[in-house]
Amino acid sequence: MSPLYDIIWYDSLPSTNDEAWKALDGLDNLSVLAAREQTAGRGQGDHKWHSRAGENLTFTIVLKWEPEPFPASREKEISDAAAGAVVAYLASKGVTARIKYPNDIYVGDKKICGLLIKHRLRGTGLTATIVGVGLNLNEKDFPSDLPNPTSLALETAAPESFDPRAELKVLLAYFNLSR
């Protein structure tokens, strides 16, 4: 597990991405904002992210590219690294997952995770990035309007629930978001 990440837990937030973006200047590189509950989580465009309180992982990692900005032409590497970390974490749990570009992780034909990435740009470089992750851990009953959701609990038939706080630390160990 990586001691590099400073994890800040919230009981409830509208969105970890929104909170990270608002607080960006006051947050350190590799800060992680995690919420037991997100009340207004979202995906790309106007898509909403559904998550029952306490059942899943909803968090945002803050990356600051200072003193030298990260080349904007290489921004796909950031999303590839984040998606690859989730796929590797799931593999460690015995679940084979794949990246469905640009921002989803699927197990077979079912969505288990979504990523939402936003950058702060200066010239041709990125000065900061926030990487939002919504990973279904324990949820088993999803709203009927979601197309094909699944969770780690459904995929592994785990006898006990996964502890989101413990699983976040395990998952962060798979992230390699350096230059």
Side-chain angles (χ1 to χ4, degrees):
M1 286 178 259
S2 175
L4 299 175
Y5 296 97
D6 177 24
I7 303 172
I8 305 163
W9 275 97
Y10 295 85
D11 189 50
S12 181
L13 279 177
S15 160
T16 59
N17 260 32
D18 289 349
E19 185 67 22
W21 196 254
K22 283 190 313 193
L24 188 59
D25 291 333
L27 293 169
D28 291 330
N29 184 40
L30 300 180
S31 291
V32 177
L33 283 68
R36 186 181 160 282
E37 173 186 40
Q38 276 194 147
T39 58
R42 65 184 193 289
Q44 294 291 340
D46 61 352
H47 294 150
K48 303 226 181 300
W49 181 261
H50 167 81
S51 181
R52 286 200 171 88
E55 292 194 12
N56 302 307
L57 267 178
T58 52
F59 66 97
T60 297
I61 301 173
V62 173
L63 304 171
K64 293 195 171 179
W65 310 107
E66 295 293 342
E68 186 177 321
F70 188 86
S73 62
R74 293 175 45 205
E75 72 177 318
K76 185 178 178 298
E77 293 175 27
I78 299 167
S79 98
D80 288 349
V86 174
V87 168
Y89 163 80
L90 291 169
S92 78
K93 302 293 185 183
V95 175
T96 301
R98 66 180 172 83
I99 302 167
K100 181 179 178 277
Y101 287 99
N103 64 330
D104 294 329
I105 309 296
Y106 271 64
V107 176
D109 65 348
K110 296 182 178 188
K111 183 175 177 175
I112 195 167
C113 179
L115 304 172
L116 184 60
I117 299 173
K118 188 172 180 179
H119 305 287
R120 182 183 283 171
L121 186 68
R122 183 177 71 223
T124 60
L126 308 175
T127 59
T129 299
I130 59 171
V131 179
V133 179
L135 175 62
N136 296 329
L137 280 183
N138 296 305
E139 198 151 351
K140 294 181 180 175
D141 297 312
F142 294 92
S144 60
D145 63 331
L146 295 180
N148 286 319
T150 192
S151 68
L152 187 56
L154 288 171
E155 295 299 324
T156 61
E160 295 183 21
S161 293
F162 293 96
D163 175 6
R165 287 179 182 260
E167 294 305 316
L168 177 56
K169 290 178 182 177
V170 174
L171 175 54
L172 288 174
Y174 288 93
F175 277 79
N176 180 11
L177 296 170
S178 62
R179 290 178 192 264

